[in-house]
Every structure is written in structure tokens, then in C-alpha cells.
């Protein structure tokens, strides 16, 4: 509740520390274990925005599900602010690639979901309008999800996460299904939101430019089972510029790490 | 597109319905007059053409002809109103005239049908008697036997609503339980597979023997008939819920109770309504059979009783009441669905 108080007064949240300690994870596939994460070690400091980059299907999204507490890891452990994660918690909120808004609820009622689930609707209801305003959806409160464009639906999903004042925002390719113009616009919006609220961010993406444009750190993963190949600090000020030569050089390096340098 | 363009495009889209506030079509007067004329003709045939000489003379012929005149008169009134309010701004009256004008082809067909029916039965006696009766025979039943018909209607409605409500509520609860809990599914699923496909009427002999009254036995049968499709469809709806909906709710701090009541049940609602619709149809069938074989009241019983006395006029009259009852309940169900599932796009209109 401390976090809620903070936002109401100062508009700033303290970000969460995440400690991924020697996490390995595997799925059952046709009776045989399929390893997806192999000895992942990662510490995320409060207020960082860390991008996880790697080949498709390498297990990045699985790592996010483990951090969200939706599944326990097969081996190793994850600490949130020093305490082991043993289930989902509203301080760690996920935004998925699909907006997955509930089609039977209006935009407003979708955004209200977290408050309603925790019985805070009456006392904290005013936060809904704030969250909607934050993502630019004021005036669309009564619309149903099927009436929204892809970008608007993803904004609503973002508001549904932000209304809970998360200390960790887990973004699983949140812009992956948007058209490229909307994606560029929303990259800047997400960076602004993150800078103004102070939460810790974990962003899975396939898009190297997106990772470099948004993140303070980029973690590059190998193919399945995912191991950390490189941990690059992106020490550039915000707002960033897509043509920044330092970012271009980093882009080249990441392509090399991913084995795609011949296209440079 | 300008406002005028929109108004002009509307009639085509609505199959000739009125554009709202756009004035009435100019041939409206003609259309209403044609319909009125045909209803007058039907009345004339009924009243002035003497009944076939080789058969009984039908009672209530005068009353039926008067009823047809009233219908024709109302159409004349509609025609005059349509002509009078043409320059007037949009109003409820205009909207009512507009929707009436959309059904003018039906009104014409009905007038022709009634006239043909009248001629084939009462006037020329071409159809075998006593199985075919003229329309005034139905009117006679409604005028003379209405207290009994009303009683039967009320009895049927009470029995149906009781059985259907019990079946639907149990069906939704069971369906959600099977879809949600592995343990419940383990025990209930085989029973449902064995019992579900059995027509509820097969239980009839046991039910009338096992229950204290034939009424409670009928409630059981109707509940069974409507409960099975509701259970299966609710279950399939709950089982088919996108698992990401649960992930979202869980990360936002939802309890298992919230997941069931606020995620699984609303997500399954479109399926539930298909089940409710199928269950309603099944309950009609069981209602009629139960009333014909056991319960000593209701429209099904009335049908049986009328057939026993070879009172075919009463049978047709009761059939019409039954049709109105069933159609009315289905319409009501669809209204409720339209309200609850307004969020769905591309819904079937009843």
C-alpha cells in the first residue's frame, strides 16, 4: 500500500529489485523434458528498464512468466526485493503481446479489473480515470474492446496494468502486433511513462532497435535453451534518437552476437 | 456522405423501411389502401357469401367478418395518418406507421390467406370435415371457451417456467463445476455421457411412478430435458476460456472465486445462451408430452382433450396458443441475451 500512497502524493513509485538466481526451466514435451532456460543469472536494479533480446522461441517469455509468478522455475530461485517469488502479485504486472482485454467489459471496466479483484474499487476508483488519461484513452471509457484499434487496445491493456501502480512492469513483446508507425509512437510513450513513474521494467522484444531506443540495459540470449550471451549497458540519455551513431554501433554488435552480422 | 445521402440510402438497407425523420415514401397511401381493400374483401366474402349448403352453418361468422372489418378500418386509419403526417417532423407515430408499412406485404398475404381459407372450408366445403374448420371456428373457441384456455395457458406456463428454471440453474452450476474442477469432472462426466443423450421422455414411466404428483414428475422431466444441454454448453464454454484471461486476472491479484465468477462465467456466457436456447426447445417437447400423458391441465392436455371430442376447432385454437407461448418465451430469451451480450459483435437477431 506504500506504493499507492506514494503515487497519490508524488507520482513516483520505487522500482523493484529482481534477482534471478541460477534459474533453469524445462517443459514436458511428449513425455520428455524440453529445457528452455539454462542457468540464467540476472540482477535488475530498481528503476532500470531491461530489454531481453534473443531468437524467437528461446525462452525469454518463459523467464517473464517465472518473474510474474505464474509458474515456479524447475531449478533456481527468483527474489523480488530479496523475498522469494511464490505466486503472482499485483506489484508485478504483465502486459502481453495480445492485449487480452475481456471482450464483455468496457474499456473502463477492463482497466478497473485489478482494483476490483483486490476490493479496492470504491476507495481507489479515481485512479482509473488517471490511468486512462495517462495512455490517452480519455473518452473511450464506454467502448467495448472490439471497437478499438490494435494500438488503442494495447493502450487499454497498459492502463489496466498501470492502474495497479506496479513496482515492476513486465512487458512481453507489448508492441509486437502493432503496425510499425504505431509501434514507433508507443515506444516513446512507454519510455515517457517509465521515466515519469519510476517502476522497474522488463521488456521482451524481437526488435533490436526497439530495445536500444528504450532500455537502459540489453540482455542478449542464445537460442533454446536460453543462456545469457551478453549484458550491454546502454548509457545514452533520454529522449534518445534513432539515428544516434552509438546506438547504430551497438546494433551492429548485437547482430553479431545473434549471428546475423552478414546482413550489415 | 451528407445527411441527405444517408437518409436516401437507408430504405434500401432496411428492405424498404422508413428512413428516420426523412419523410414517408409517397406510395405509402397506395400500399395501405391496397391492404385495407383486401381485408374488406375478406370480410365481404365471409359475411355475404352463404356457407356451403351441404354442411353445417358456422357460428360466429358475423363476429369474424366484423373483426376483419376492424382490421381493414385500422389500415384505412393508418393510410390517412400516413398521408396527414407526411410533412410533420419525426415522431413516435411516424415511426409506428413506418414499421407497419414494412409489414404491408405480410398484411396483404394474410388477407389473401384468410380469404382462401374461408372459401375452401366454410364456403365451398372442399376440405374433409371435421379435420378442417374455417377461421370463425377458432374465433368461436376463443369467445366461448376462453376461461378454460386461459387456465390451461397459465398451467402450462407455470409448469414450464418452474421446470426450465430448475434445469437451467442446475445446468449452469453443474457445467461450471465440471469445467472448473477436475474432481467434479471425473465423477460427473461419465454420468452425463450416459444419461445426457437419453431423451427425457424415456424417463416418463419411472417419473410418474417415482414422484408423489404428476406435476412434480413433469417438473423433473422438463428440468432434465433443459438441464442437459445447458450443462454441456456451459461446460464447453468454461473449458474453452482463453487461459490468458486467467493469467491476466491472477497477476492482478484475483482470488479463485473471482476467476470463476468474473472471468470463467462471463467468458462462457455466449455458450451458455446457446445451451439455454437448446434447452428451451427440449423443454417444450417434454411439456406437451407430459401434459398429454400425465398432468390433467395445460395446453397439451387441452389438445388431447379436444382431439378426444373431435373438436378440431379447439385443437387449432390451442395450437395457436401453444405457438404464441413458445415463440414468446424464445423471444424473451433472446431479449435477455441481447441485453447481457451486447458486447458481442455480429449477433444473430431473432
Amino acid at each position: 500500500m506504500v506504493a499507492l500512497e506514494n503515487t497519490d502524493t508524488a507520482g513516483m513509485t520505487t522500482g523493484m529489485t529482481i534477482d534471478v538466481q541460477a534459474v533453469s526451466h524445462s517443459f514436458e514435451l511428449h513425455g520428455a523434458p524440453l529445457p528452455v532456460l539454462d542457468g540464467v543469472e540476472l540482477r535488475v536494479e530498481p528503476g532500470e528498464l531491461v530489454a531481453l533480446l534473443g531468437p524467437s522461441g528461446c525462452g525469454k517469455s518463459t523467464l517473464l512468466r517465472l518473474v510474474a509468478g505464474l509458474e515456479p522455475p524447475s531449478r533456481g530461485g527468483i527474489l523480488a526485493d530479496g523475498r522469494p517469488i511464490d505466486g503472482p502479485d499485483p506489484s508485478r504486472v504483465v502486459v502481453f503481446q495480445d492485449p487480452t482485454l475481456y471482450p464483455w467489459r468496457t474499456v473502463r471496466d477492463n482497466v478497473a479489473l485489478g482494483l476490483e479483484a483486490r476490493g479496492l474499487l470504491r476507495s481507489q476508483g479515481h485512479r482509473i480515470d488517471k490511468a486512462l488519461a495517462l495512455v490517452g484513452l480519455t473518452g473511450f471509457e464506454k467502448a467495448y474492446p472490439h471497437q478499438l484499434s490494435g494500438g488503442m487496445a494495447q493502450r487499454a491493456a497498459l492502463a489496466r496494468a498501470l492502474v495497479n501502480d506496479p513496482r515492476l512492469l513486465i512487458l512481453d513483446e507489448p508492441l509486437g502486433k502493432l503496425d510499425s508507425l504505431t509501434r514507433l509512437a508507443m515506444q516513446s510513450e512507454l519510455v515517457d511513462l517509465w521515466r515519469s513513474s519510476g517502476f522497474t521494467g522488463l521488456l521482451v522484444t524481437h526488435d533490436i532497435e526497439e530495445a536500444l531506443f528504450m532500455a537502459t540495459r540489453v540482455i542478449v540470449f542464445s537460442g533454446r535453451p536460453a543462456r545469457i550471451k551478453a549484458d550491454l549497458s546502454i548509457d545514452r540519455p533520454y529522449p534518445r534518437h534513432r539515428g544516434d551513431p552509438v546506438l547504430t554501433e551497438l546494433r551492429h554488435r548485437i547482430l553479431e552476437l545473434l549471428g546475423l552480422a552478414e546482413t550489415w | 456522405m451528407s445527411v441527405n445521402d444517408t437518409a436516401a440510402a437507408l430504405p434500401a438497407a432496411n428492405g424498404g423501411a422508413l428512413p428516420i425523420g426523412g419523410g414517408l415514401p409517397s406510395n405509402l397511401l397506395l400500399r395501405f389502401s391496397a391492404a385495407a381493400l383486401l381485408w374488406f374483401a375478406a370480410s365481404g366474402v365471409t359475411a355475404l357469401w352463404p356457407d356451403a349448403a351441404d354442411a353445417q352453418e358456422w357460428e360466429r361468422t358475423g363476429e369474424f367478418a366484423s373483426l376483419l372489418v376492424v382490421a381493414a378500418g385500422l389500415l384505412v386509419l393508418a393510410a390517412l395518418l400516413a398521408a396527414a403526417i407526411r410533412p410533420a417532423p419525426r415522431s413516435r407515430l411516424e415511426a409506428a406507421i413506418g414499421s407497419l408499412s414494412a409489414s404491408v406485404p405480410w398484411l396483404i398475404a394474410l388477407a389473401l390467406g384468410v380469404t382462401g381459407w374461408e372459401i375452401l372450408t366454410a364456403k365451398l366445403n372442399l376440405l374433409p370435415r371435421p379435420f378442417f374448420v374455417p377461421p370463425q371456428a377458432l374465433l368461436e373457441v376463443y369467445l366461448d371457451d376462453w376461461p378454460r384456455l386461459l387456465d390451461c395457458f397459465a398451467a402450462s406456463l407455470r409448469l414450464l417456467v418452474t421446470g426450465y428454471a430448475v434445469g437451467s440453474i442446475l445446468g449452469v452450476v453443474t457445467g461450471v463445476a465440471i469445467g472448473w474442477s477436475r474432481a467434479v469432472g471425473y465423477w460427473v462426466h461419465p454420468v452425463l455421457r450416459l444419461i445426457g443423450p437419453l431423451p427425457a421422455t424415456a424417463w416418463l414411466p419411472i417419473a410418474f411412478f417415482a414422484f408423489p404428483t404428476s406435476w412434480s414428475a413433469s417438473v423433473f422431466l422438463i428440468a432434465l430435458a433443459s438441464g442437459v444441454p445447458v450443462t454441456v454448453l456451459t461446460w464447453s464454454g468454461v473449458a474453452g476460456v482463453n487461459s490468458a484471461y486467467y493469467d491476466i486476472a491472477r497477476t492482478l491479484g484475483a482470488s479463485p472465486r473471482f476467476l470463476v465468477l468474473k472471468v470463467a462465467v462471463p467468458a462462457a456466457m455466449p455458450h451458455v445462451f446457446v445451451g439455454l436456447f437448446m434447452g428451451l426447445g427440449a423443454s417444450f417437447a417434454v411439456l406437451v408430452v407430459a401434459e398429454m400423458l400425465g398432468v390433467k391441465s395445460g395446453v397439451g392436455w387441452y389438445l388431447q382433450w379436444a382431439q378426444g371430442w373431435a373438436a378440431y376447432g379447439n385443437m387449432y385454437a390451442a395450437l395457436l396458443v401453444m405457438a404464441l407461448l413458445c415463440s414468446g418465451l424464445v423471444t424473451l430469451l433472446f431479449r435477455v441475451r441481447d441485453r447481457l451480450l451486447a458486447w458481442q459483435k455480429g449477433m444473430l437477431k431473432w
Side-chain angles (χ1 to χ4, degrees):
Chain A
M1 280 321 98
V2 176
L4 285 176
E5 303 299 315
N6 278 352
T7 315
D8 282 344
T9 51
M12 283 295 279
T13 317
T14 33
M16 188 179 272
T17 314
I18 294 292
D19 237 323
V20 180
Q21 295 176 329
V23 162
S24 296
H25 195 70
S26 52
F27 292 120
E28 284 280 307
L29 191 68
H30 307 307
L34 174 76
V36 286
L37 293 172
D38 183 17
V40 175
E41 233 10 286
L42 177 66
R43 183 178 165 89
V44 181
E45 299 297 335
E48 275 194 302
L49 177 52
V50 176
L52 311 181
L53 201 60
S56 180
C58 78
K60 312 177 296 279
S61 295
T62 306
L63 182 58
L64 290 196
R65 286 182 69 82
L66 301 183
V67 174
L70 290 169
E71 288 168 48
S74 309
R75 262 185 295 137
I78 305 176
L79 305 181
D81 286 340
R83 278 190 299 277
I85 290 174
D86 57 358
D89 187 278
S91 63
R92 292 173 265 123
V93 181
V94 192
V95 176
F96 292 100
Q97 182 175 16
D98 285 310
T100 45
L101 299 171
Y102 293 176
W104 60 91
R105 286 175 172 242
T106 60
V107 167
R108 192 188 161 81
D109 290 346
N110 265 291
V111 173
L113 196 67
L115 298 178
E116 195 183 325
R118 288 183 289 150
L120 298 175
L121 203 51
R122 195 157 299 174
S123 56
Q124 301 287 329
H126 60 277
R127 301 174 53 90
I128 299 168
D129 296 313
K130 265 166 85 179
L132 283 167
L134 214 54
V135 298
L137 277 181
T138 306
F140 289 94
E141 291 87 350
K142 288 194 174 137
Y144 280 100
H146 76 259
Q147 298 168 306
L148 302 181
S149 69
M152 282 159 75
Q154 198 55 283
R155 282 195 175 90
L158 201 54
R160 179 180 60 190
L162 292 173
V163 79
N164 302 287
D165 196 18
R167 299 186 45 232
L168 174 71
L169 190 62
I170 300 170
L171 302 157
D172 190 359
E173 293 185 55
L175 312 178
K177 285 200 169 165
L178 303 181
D179 65 272
S180 52
L181 295 179
T182 311
R183 186 157 64 222
L184 296 188
M186 283 193 68
Q187 286 170 0
S188 302
E189 288 173 31
L190 272 175
V191 168
D192 291 345
L193 274 173
W194 163 69
R195 295 218 303 151
S196 60
S197 353
F199 53 75
T200 306
L202 267 181
L203 168 75
V204 158
T205 177
H206 283 133
D207 185 338
I208 303 176
E209 196 201 311
E210 182 170 290
L212 292 171
F213 183 73
M214 294 174 66
T216 54
R217 256 164 90 199
V218 176
I219 313 288
V220 182
F221 283 90
S222 69
R224 198 176 55 232
R227 293 188 195 88
I228 294 181
K229 256 188 165 175
D231 185 341
L232 308 170
S233 185
I234 317 299
D235 198 9
R236 302 298 291 163
Y238 294 94
R240 287 181 181 165
H241 302 282
R242 295 179 197 279
D244 185 337
V246 178
L247 295 186
T248 312
E249 190 39 51
L250 279 165
R251 195 158 162 240
H252 188 187
R253 238 187 101 195
I254 292 172
L255 278 173
E256 271 174 358
L257 285 165
L258 293 170
L260 297 164
E262 70 273 16
T263 60
W264 189 253
Chain B
M1 194 185 247
S2 77
V3 175
N4 285 336
D5 288 342
T6 318
L10 261 177
N14 294 352
L18 269 188
I20 295 156
L24 297 161
S26 55
N27 63 348
L28 204 57
L29 187 65
L30 195 69
R31 298 174 67 184
F32 277 125
S33 308
L37 203 66
L38 283 168
W39 283 90
F40 275 125
S43 168
V45 166
T46 305
L48 304 176
W49 188 336
D51 283 358
D54 57 339
Q56 76 179 95
E57 193 155 315
W58 293 98
E59 291 184 31
R60 303 292 187 182
T61 304
E63 283 88 342
F64 184 61
S66 320
L67 200 65
L68 295 173
V69 170
V70 170
L74 286 174
L75 281 167
V76 170
L77 188 68
L80 292 176
L81 280 171
I85 65 167
R86 200 179 310 162
R90 75 171 75 168
S91 63
R92 289 181 78 99
L93 185 62
E94 185 182 325
I97 298 273
S99 65
L100 189 62
S101 108
S103 38
V104 161
W106 261 108
L107 291 170
I108 289 175
L110 270 178
L112 293 174
V114 167
T115 311
W117 179 10
E118 184 68 43
I119 292 172
L120 285 176
T121 51
K123 304 310 174 193
L124 296 180
N125 199 17
L126 288 177
L127 294 175
R129 301 175 63 161
F131 308 109
F132 293 93
V133 297
Q136 53 264 43
L138 269 71
L139 182 66
E140 186 188 337
V141 174
Y142 292 132
L143 289 175
D144 298 345
D145 204 22
W146 65 265
R148 197 196 324 238
L149 255 181
L150 193 68
D151 270 355
C152 287
F153 177 82
S156 286
L157 190 65
R158 204 162 73 90
L159 178 56
L160 187 71
V161 168
T162 309
Y164 183 66
V166 170
S168 308
I169 293 168
L170 287 180
V172 169
V173 171
T174 314
V176 170
I178 303 176
W180 189 257
S181 154
R182 223 169 262 255
V184 175
Y186 178 82
W187 291 107
V188 178
H189 183 200
V191 178
L192 194 65
R193 268 180 77 166
L194 184 69
I195 307 287
L198 191 66
T201 42
W203 292 90
L204 218 98
I206 302 174
F208 281 133
F209 162 74
F211 280 81
T213 61
S214 58
W215 195 82
S216 56
S218 305
V219 168
F220 164 74
L221 292 174
I222 293 170
L224 188 66
S226 54
V228 169
V230 174
T231 304
V232 173
L233 268 295
T234 305
W235 166 32
S236 109
V238 170
V241 174
N242 185 349
S243 66
Y245 290 166
Y246 297 131
D247 286 346
I248 290 285
R250 284 173 62 210
T251 59
L252 296 178
S255 61
R257 185 189 146 86
F258 188 92
L259 292 181
V260 173
L261 295 180
K262 299 284 185 156
V263 184
V265 170
M269 265 306 163
H271 278 82
V272 173
F273 269 98
V274 175
L276 287 172
F277 174 65
M278 288 167 60
L280 193 57
S283 72
F284 295 152
V286 176
L287 172 77
V288 175
V289 175
E291 285 180 343
M292 283 181 166
L293 295 182
V295 190
K296 292 281 172 278
S297 62
V299 183
W301 170 83
Y302 190 98
L303 282 169
Q304 184 87 338
W305 170 84
Q307 202 234 348
W309 289 96
Y312 287 91
N314 297 58
M315 233 182 69
Y316 291 120
L319 266 180
L320 188 61
V321 168
M322 188 93 211
L324 291 176
L325 172 71
C326 297
S327 162
L329 286 173
V330 172
T331 306
L332 189 69
L333 181 70
F334 272 71
R335 286 277 158 81
V336 172
R337 184 201 68 156
D338 289 353
R339 185 156 276 241
L340 283 180
L341 302 187
W343 51 270
Q344 268 195 313
K345 53 179 174 177
M347 259 198 315
L348 169 77
K349 290 289 174 209
W350 174 252

